[in-house]
């Protein structure tokens, strides 16, 4: 039985589909990119790392191989069943409240662009709640032209990922449709995204008690933030 989908999110294809439209079988086969290298360059292992929205472990396993101690969080138990070697926690990110504090908190996969600003705020507050005072939060942002260069496609392993459309649905939110085609299967994923300027993104961090330390990549898609000092960034 599938969990109820989030409004504006849906997915099709073989296997379990999560509430935000992600296909478990798909995410179990997608290869990892250069994200673990960016993370390892920003925070050297063996750091204690909290991965928010881990999915089926595409990055989790690569981070474990690099020597991080990973706690992987996802709202889908079916996703977490694919992860081996890490502590796993089944929970929505927005309501996560662990007793632990971590050297690194990771919010990847463009989750900061949640269509609902209240969800985005809760995600960032979860990051702040779980990062150690001397730790860091690593956030992955969309590229500045992500919604303009459509349609586009890239190869991922033996499959093709096609961003088919990005449609304005009002209030600054886009509905994005992506297709994943492999020799033996096809999936689609429709989700909501709210593009954020640098200024709006940095303000959202400040509202959650975080401030930008520095941008990790020239395109500013990867950001290292830290807890704000008292009176800083208000």
């Amino acid at each position: 039985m599938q969990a109820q989908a989030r409004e504006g999110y849906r997915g099709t294809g073989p296997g379990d589909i999560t509430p935000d439209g992600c296909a478990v079988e798909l995410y179990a086969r997608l290869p990892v990119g250069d994200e673990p290298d960016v993370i390892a360059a920003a925070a050297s292992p063996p750091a204690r790392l909290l991965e928010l929205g881990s999915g089926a472990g595409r990055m989790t396993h690569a981070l474990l191989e690099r020597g991080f101690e990973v706690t992987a969080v996802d709202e889908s138990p079916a996703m977490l069943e694919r992860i081996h070697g890490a502590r796993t926690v089944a929970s929505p990110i927005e309501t996560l409240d662990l007793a632990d504090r971590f050297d690194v908190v990771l919010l990847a996969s463009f989750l900061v662009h949640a269509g609902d600003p209240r969800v985005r705020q809760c995600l960032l507050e979860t990051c702040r709640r779980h990062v150690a005072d001397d730790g860091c939060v690593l956030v992955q942002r969309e590229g500045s032209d992500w919604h303009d260069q459509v349609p586009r496609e890239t190869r991922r392993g033996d499959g093709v990922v096609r961003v088919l459309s990005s449609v304005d649905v009002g209030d600054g939110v886009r509905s994005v449709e992506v297709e994943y085609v492999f020799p033996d299967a096809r999936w689609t994923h429709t989700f909501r995204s709210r593009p954020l300027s640098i200024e709006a993104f940095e303000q959202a961090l400040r509202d959650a008690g975080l401030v930008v330390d520095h941008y990790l990549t020239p395109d500013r898609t990867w950001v290292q933030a830290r807890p704000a000092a008292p009176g800083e960034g208000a």
Side-chain angles (χ1 to χ4, degrees):
M1 180 178 178
Q2 305 285 23
Q4 183 176 359
R6 295 176 182 248
E7 183 178 359
Y9 295 74
R10 62 183 181 274
T12 67
D16 291 332
I17 305 293
T18 67
D20 60 355
C22 295
V24 176
E25 294 293 334
L26 167 65
Y27 277 81
R29 70 166 70 184
L30 282 175
V32 71
D34 63 357
E35 299 97 336
D37 294 329
V38 174
I39 295 162
S44 301
R48 298 181 67 240
L49 186 148
L50 177 66
E51 183 185 8
L52 300 174
S54 62
R58 183 173 57 91
M59 283 201 290
T60 314
H61 296 126
L63 292 169
L64 289 168
E65 290 172 359
R66 284 162 173 77
F68 287 99
E69 180 185 334
V70 182
T71 295
V73 176
D74 202 277
E75 68 179 343
S76 168
M79 287 283 197
L80 294 176
E81 287 176 1
R82 304 300 183 104
I83 293 177
H84 306 283
R87 173 193 179 194
T88 59
V89 178
S91 171
I93 299 171
E94 301 97 304
T95 58
L96 184 72
D97 193 6
L98 302 176
D100 299 333
R101 298 297 177 266
F102 296 83
D103 304 314
V104 184
V105 177
L106 177 63
L107 187 69
S109 302
F110 314 127
L111 292 175
V112 75
H113 291 274
D116 186 338
R118 295 168 298 181
V119 172
R120 178 189 67 215
Q121 193 65 21
C122 288
L123 297 179
L124 292 174
E125 288 173 356
T126 294
C127 292
R128 177 63 186 92
R129 191 161 56 245
H130 289 90
V131 68
D133 290 341
D134 59 349
C136 67
V137 177
L138 304 182
V139 183
Q140 186 181 24
R141 301 175 59 248
E142 294 173 347
S144 59
D145 62 350
W146 202 87
H147 294 276
D148 300 325
Q149 302 300 318
V150 177
R152 65 179 182 274
E153 73 175 45
T154 56
R155 290 210 65 87
R156 298 293 299 273
D158 62 347
V160 175
V161 180
R162 299 187 178 106
V163 181
L164 301 177
S165 62
S166 174
V167 178
D168 185 351
V169 293
D171 191 32
V173 178
R174 315 285 297 189
S175 178
V176 182
E177 184 178 6
V178 183
E179 177 186 53
Y180 302 83
V181 180
F182 286 77
D184 60 338
R186 174 183 177 272
W187 289 270
T188 68
H189 186 199
T190 300
F191 59 92
R192 297 284 175 91
S193 173
R194 182 180 293 271
L196 295 171
S197 66
I198 290 289
E199 294 75 19
F201 168 71
E202 293 187 358
Q203 183 61 56
L205 288 177
R206 289 192 293 270
D207 291 343
L210 299 164
V211 292
V212 171
D213 192 12
H214 61 283
Y215 288 87
L216 300 172
T217 52
D219 61 4
R220 294 188 168 189
T221 56
W222 278 95
V223 187
Q224 180 170 319
R226 57 177 173 79
E232 182 183 19

